[in-house]
Amino acid sequence: MRYFIGNWKMFGVPKSINILNKINSFHSKDKNRKKYRVIITPPYTLIETFSNNFKKKKILIGSQNCYQKEQFSSDTAAISPFMIKSVGAKYTLIGHSDNRSEGDTNSMLKNKVQFALKNNLKIVFCIGENKSEKKNNRTLIVLKNQIRKVLEKKFNRNDIIIAYEPIWSIGTGKIPTLTELTKTIIYIKKVLKNIFKKKSPPVLYGGSVDETNIKIFKEIKEIDGFLIGGASKSSKKFIDIIKNYYR
Ligand code: 13P
């Protein structure tokens, strides 16, 4: 199974559902549709409408983050996994670099993972090195720490997806080389296999994925899918990514 996840970040109003309608009509007729899953993570404000509209369709809705407490609390503007689940989301991203840079620590991330899973949300756990870590050849050690400080073998592997997003690649148009990326993905899977009884959860790549460079990424069979930012805000680009992946 492959995954094409569109992370809208701070984008979208109710009428942006048109984008999902177009993706859905492509998906419902695509001969390859059984080979992949489409998940869109709109902002919190749109989760309920989008989930209701796509309840009977194959497109799944996720959240971009969740708070590190389970149900209700007195934290202003916080939204818990329980609340996200209650409006129909099936997935949540956790640990996106945008949120790590705003202060998400490993122990906060661990609570997020725990409470999201407890509330039957599947998680997309994001990891990635920054520019200086890459320059200093620290990529693999950084990734290993990000994984091992948060994920534990007691978590159900089947509810977890990992997204490798090098921070220097997000929104920059810069992408890793084929050799670099293959090595990194294989390493991430090795670390995960050590935690989860010899079987790795799916590992996705994210960072400047578009309808052109997808032809390069598809060469790496170890990549189980993509977490797409900018290009997921256009139905045409998002559909072209899927088309070009299976071409
Ligand atoms: P871009 O595809 O815009 O580089 O964003 C990647 C990302 O951060 C998805 O979560």
Side-chain angles (χ1 to χ4, degrees):
M1 177 59 70
R2 295 288 191 244
Y3 296 85
F4 293 89
I5 307 183
N7 177 13
W8 278 14
K9 307 188 182 180
M10 196 174 87
F11 168 83
V13 288
K15 73 168 195 245
S16 315
I17 198 156
N18 288 335
I19 301 173
L20 265 71
N21 287 330
K22 288 181 189 152
I23 297 172
N24 183 62
S25 62
F26 161 77
H27 180 264
S28 57
K29 294 183 218 104
D30 185 11
K31 65 176 188 317
N32 294 308
R33 67 182 178 278
K34 297 232 160 61
K35 298 183 188 159
Y36 64 93
R37 187 165 290 169
V38 172
I39 302 160
I40 301 291
T41 64
Y44 288 128
T45 46
L46 299 175
I47 293 178
E48 182 167 15
T49 343
F50 284 14
S51 300
N52 284 340
N53 272 277
F54 286 89
K55 221 175 226 162
K56 303 225 160 59
K57 314 252 165 54
K58 294 285 180 218
I59 293 185
L60 296 167
I61 304 301
S63 170
Q64 297 173 16
N65 195 3
C66 64
Y67 197 61
Q68 64 268 19
K69 292 185 186 169
E70 189 184 346
Q71 194 173 23
F72 298 137
S73 75
S74 52
D75 299 279
T76 301
I79 301 187
S80 68
F82 174 79
M83 292 156 77
I84 292 165
K85 179 72 186 179
S86 77
V87 288
K90 299 282 188 283
Y91 286 81
T92 183
L93 306 184
I94 290 178
H96 192 282
S97 59
D98 288 341
N99 307 121
R100 287 180 189 262
S101 68
E102 284 161 0
D104 271 13
T105 62
N106 287 325
S107 77
M108 282 158 67
L109 295 175
K110 192 180 270 219
N111 285 332
K112 291 182 184 206
V113 170
Q114 198 153 325
F115 292 135
L117 293 174
K118 194 168 164 199
N119 283 277
N120 296 316
L121 287 167
K122 290 183 190 288
I123 65 151
V124 181
F125 183 63
C126 306
I127 56 173
E129 83 284 4
N130 65 28
K131 201 169 154 188
S132 91
E133 288 160 344
K134 175 177 163 56
K135 196 166 148 245
N136 294 309
N137 281 322
R138 291 185 39 80
T139 299
L140 301 185
I141 184 93
V142 167
L143 298 175
K144 181 177 167 181
N145 279 333
Q146 288 175 337
I147 295 170
R148 295 186 69 100
K149 294 235 155 73
V150 176
L151 297 184
E152 293 181 31
K153 67 166 183 274
K154 70 172 185 196
F155 299 144
N156 188 351
R157 180 184 69 211
N158 298 324
D159 293 334
I160 299 176
I161 295 174
I162 306 298
Y164 168 56
E165 299 204 295
I167 298 169
W168 51 268
S169 169
I170 297 176
T172 60
K174 296 196 176 96
I175 54 169
T177 64
L178 266 187
T179 330
E180 222 168 40
L181 187 55
T182 309
K183 183 177 145 202
T184 309
I185 298 279
I186 290 173
Y187 179 79
I188 292 170
K189 289 194 166 175
K190 189 178 131 196
V191 174
L192 291 164
K193 279 180 196 163
N194 275 329
I195 301 176
F196 297 109
K197 296 192 184 128
K198 301 198 163 54
K199 207 163 179 284
S200 170
V203 178
L204 320 186
Y205 170 77
S208 294
V209 174
D210 64 26
E211 67 283 16
T212 311
N213 63 25
I214 191 71
K215 294 171 199 151
I216 306 175
F217 294 125
K218 77 178 198 185
E219 301 301 321
I220 310 178
K221 300 295 170 240
E222 287 83 1
I223 298 181
D224 300 297
F226 301 91
L227 180 53
I228 303 153
S232 71
K233 296 184 272 186
S234 143
S235 54
K236 178 164 179 0
K237 286 186 180 174
F238 193 77
I239 292 167
D240 282 347
I241 289 174
I242 300 175
K243 281 187 184 162
N244 290 340
Y245 184 82
Y246 287 106
R247 186 156 285 163

